[in-house]
Amino acid sequence: MSGTGGAGTAKEAGRTGFSTPLTELAGVRYPIVQTGMGWVAGPRLVSAAAAAGALGVLASATMPVDRLRAAVREVKSRTDAPFGVNLRADASDAPERVRIIIEEGVKVASFALAPSAGLIARLKDAGVVVVPSVGARRHAEKVAAWGADAVIVQGGEGGGHTGNVATSVLLPQVVDAVDIPVVAAGGFHDGRGLVAALAYGAAGIGMGTRFLLTSDSTVPDAVKAKYLAATVKDVTVTTKVDGLPHRMLRTGMVDGLERSGRVSSLLRAVRHAAGFRRESGMSWAGMVRDGLTMKHGKELSWSQVLLAANTPMLLRASMVEGRTDIGVMAAGQVAGVIDDLPSCAELVERIMDEALATLRALPTAR
């Protein structure tokens, strides 16, 4: 099977648009996705990315259900451009969040984990475009068979939870395996990367760290400064946050987590679980249900499930409170090559100008 025909179908439409299967599906001007990052992708960043012509995606997993509706309405008040909402398919309240997405007329629903065939069908019946994120070819094949409209595939360079296969190897595998548009994520930050992704057959690129490092991001300035000061070697992968591979900046906090023993890790996880319960509005029963869902079909110990509570609260400490001494900073490897804080509008315009210039400079086959 063939993938998306990204490079073959992409066409220049002046500076008013750049058409690929992704832009046609989502109704956006440019084949760029601002991915849903917990505590980062709030209404201000999402509306700025959407207004700039990209697909802005609101992160909902770290907010209570009632806050989700308010956040969606805030984005709508800021821009008329299409945008999406990212949510966890395994969350116990996922059906309620899906209902809000449908009722509020959100264009795109993206998922950090594969949604069920029933959830996909419910969204599609309501006219919502469904775009799960995956990290393996088999996962892309599964959600495509279940009716997903497109898929975001993240290679090992990407920030947050990640795999160990580079985007340049994983992307063509997925493009060859499915017949739906594929969005490439992990390692992208400029127009050259967009052209490379299109050449592989992708329909666009997804970027998290690059949008985090914009003037429209609400991440504290002191935290952004730490990202800008980082080199490629300062970005590492650790399993000490929640038992799963997690790409982030190497800091004193991360070094401390790496040295911590099992008992101290579990005690810390219990404290953070309690904190996340208060922040998210979830009950202990709801968190246990989500933990059971996480364990289902996976080789996860109960200690790993409990450690998963570390992630949202450790990220919140840095991304919201600016406390990098007690928090962690998820980061793609591209953090080591980013050195400025443009607005979303400036960033998207720059990427598209670079992409068009790169396309024009490519040698002609003879």
Side-chain angles (χ1 to χ4, degrees):
M1 288 186 291
S2 177
T4 65
T9 60
K11 58 185 179 182
E12 180 179 347
R15 284 295 286 116
T16 59
F18 192 98
S19 179
T20 74
L22 171 64
T23 63
E24 295 167 3
L25 185 65
V28 296
R29 294 200 304 275
Y30 304 121
I32 299 171
V33 178
Q34 164 259 300
T35 57
M37 300 165 280
W39 310 117
V40 176
R44 191 172 90 179
L45 178 61
V46 172
S47 58
L55 176 63
V57 178
L58 185 70
S60 82
T62 52
M63 63 177 68
V65 172
D66 57 350
R67 171 58 186 152
L68 170 58
R69 189 182 295 275
V72 167
R73 290 181 175 177
E74 184 176 345
V75 175
K76 291 163 65 176
S77 73
R78 290 169 175 260
T79 179
D80 294 328
F83 65 96
V85 170
N86 177 265
L87 60 157
R88 277 179 47 197
D90 63 342
S92 57
D93 60 2
E96 188 173 358
R97 293 174 186 268
V98 165
R99 177 174 59 82
I100 292 173
I101 289 172
I102 293 172
E103 290 177 352
E104 294 296 329
V106 174
K107 179 68 175 180
V108 176
S110 73
F111 291 87
L113 298 171
S116 66
L119 209 56
I120 292 175
R122 181 182 173 192
L123 285 160
K124 292 189 65 171
D125 287 346
V128 181
V129 176
V130 181
V131 187
S133 296
V134 300
R137 171 178 173 166
R138 68 182 184 279
H139 298 152
E141 291 173 330
K142 178 171 67 175
V143 296
W146 287 350
D149 296 293
V151 66
I152 297 175
V153 55
Q154 177 178 302
E157 301 95 323
H161 291 117
T162 193
N164 56 11
V165 180
T167 304
S168 58
V169 176
L170 180 61
L171 175 58
Q173 286 184 339
V174 175
V175 167
D176 290 343
V178 299
D179 286 327
I180 57 178
V182 177
V183 179
F188 297 100
H189 70 288
D190 63 8
R192 294 174 300 175
L194 172 56
V195 172
L198 295 176
Y200 273 117
I205 57 173
M207 303 187 301
T209 304
R210 178 63 275 196
F211 276 103
L212 184 157
L213 293 173
T214 60
S215 60
D216 294 304
S217 164
T218 58
V219 171
D221 289 342
V223 177
K224 291 179 183 178
K226 290 184 179 294
Y227 277 98
L228 295 178
T231 68
V232 172
K233 293 183 178 180
D234 293 323
V235 185
T236 188
V237 175
T238 181
T239 60
K240 283 293 189 175
V241 172
D242 56 13
L244 300 172
H246 201 130
R247 185 176 291 284
M248 58 186 59
L249 291 190
R250 178 166 289 285
T251 62
M253 175 64 176
V254 173
D255 289 340
L257 291 174
E258 292 280 358
R259 293 192 300 268
S260 65
R262 183 175 181 179
V263 173
S264 62
S265 295
L266 288 176
L267 289 174
R268 183 183 64 247
V270 171
R271 292 196 305 272
H272 289 149
F276 183 60
R277 183 185 68 83
R278 291 191 299 270
E279 185 68 32
S280 65
M282 293 182 66
S283 65
W284 282 111
M287 292 182 69
V288 170
R289 285 195 299 271
D290 284 357
L292 288 170
T293 302
M294 289 177 64
K295 278 180 63 67
H296 181 69
K298 300 177 184 178
E299 295 298 322
L300 294 180
S301 67
W302 274 111
S303 62
Q304 285 178 309
V305 172
L306 186 57
L307 284 168
N310 282 335
T311 304
M313 297 312 290
L314 289 176
L315 287 170
R316 185 185 190 281
S318 291
M319 300 299 105
V320 178
E321 300 170 5
R323 293 293 305 277
T324 57
D325 56 325
I326 60 173
V328 297
M329 294 178 282
Q333 283 185 307
V334 294
V337 297
I338 295 173
D339 60 6
D340 64 349
L341 297 171
S343 68
C344 287
E346 292 167 341
L347 174 63
V348 171
E349 181 178 4
R350 179 200 304 173
I351 289 174
M352 296 313 304
D353 285 345
E354 289 173 348
L356 294 174
T358 300
L359 286 170
R360 295 189 189 103
L362 289 176
T364 303
R366 294 181 181 180

